[in-house]
Amino acid sequence: MKVRVRCPACGGTQQVSAARTPSKTSCRRCGRIIPLALTGSVREDLEVDACPVCEGRDLYVRKDLNRNMGLTAVVIVALVSAGFLWSGRDLVAYAVLGAFALVDFVIYQLLKEVTVCYRCQAEFRGSYRRTAPPFDLHIAEQLELEYSRRLQAVPGSGVETRFLGD
Ligand SMILES: [Zn+2]
Ligand SMILES: [Zn+2]
């Protein structure tokens, strides 16, 4: 499977192959060494049991949709149907909107699911079995806070050293 890793230092992302990546990668933007604790099931694309970046086991699944692409489509459809409305062809305008809603619904059903780590926002794409529950805002708030505290932890506490590299 492919893992989109988010750098704990600068927030830059990069995609790595779980099967081929060694035990660490370096951030392409700031050069920080990011250790990766890839489990056997992640390497073999079986299941995301633990996040290789933060070692968290709290994950969720969401539809893997491209926000920009979706927004562009909505704007285009709105403009097209507004054009038909303006030129007095109301029925065509409504037909365009209706067809778009239908296509949108079908595409949404066909979209694959991606697993995301609550703490470090790592994303996992592949043919593995989806076992994580859907997104929960309450869990997200707690774990994001915990993770940001961990990143700011005093050096030498044992946790922070994981992100300093070697
Ligand atoms: Zn970075
Ligand atoms: Zn993580």
Side-chain angles (χ1 to χ4, degrees):
M1 72 175 81
K2 298 258 186 281
V3 185
R4 180 161 289 277
V5 175
R6 187 177 296 263
C7 171
C10 74
T13 62
Q14 60 173 303
Q15 188 154 289
V16 299
S17 159
R20 274 175 305 197
T21 307
S23 57
K24 63 185 175 194
T25 185
S26 59
C27 173
R28 288 198 192 128
R29 200 198 284 176
C30 72
R32 165 94 83 127
I33 302 289
I34 307 167
L36 297 174
L38 291 151
T39 64
S41 353
V42 170
R43 278 197 189 281
E44 283 160 43
D45 198 9
L46 298 175
E47 186 188 343
V48 184
D49 49 357
C51 171
V53 183
C54 69
E55 293 178 56
R57 286 171 184 275
D58 302 283
L59 309 146
Y60 65 90
V61 289
R62 64 165 170 78
K63 291 280 188 186
D64 193 6
L65 82 174
N66 184 329
R67 286 248 163 81
N68 293 328
M69 226 170 72
L71 201 65
T72 310
V74 167
V75 170
I76 290 172
V77 169
L79 287 176
V80 168
S81 53
F84 281 118
L85 269 183
W86 182 77
S87 62
R89 278 176 282 184
D90 296 29
L91 272 180
V92 184
Y94 294 129
V96 168
L97 284 179
F100 176 72
L102 193 68
V103 169
D104 188 52
F105 176 78
V106 171
I107 289 178
Y108 191 78
Q109 301 305 311
L110 292 176
L111 279 174
K112 286 202 167 162
E113 284 184 319
V114 57
T115 300
V116 187
C117 172
Y118 272 117
R119 290 184 177 83
C120 71
Q121 314 293 316
E123 295 173 357
F124 305 84
R125 291 180 175 85
S127 54
Y128 63 88
R129 203 154 36 96
R130 268 57 171 174
T131 45
F135 181 76
D136 183 309
L137 184 62
H138 184 64
I139 297 177
E141 282 171 349
Q142 283 185 324
L143 295 181
E144 275 168 24
L145 187 68
E146 186 217 282
Y147 187 62
S148 64
R149 281 199 185 128
R150 200 168 108 186
L151 291 180
Q152 292 157 10
V154 189
S157 61
V159 183
E160 168 70 5
T161 50
R162 254 188 62 73
F163 295 103
L164 292 175
D166 46 27

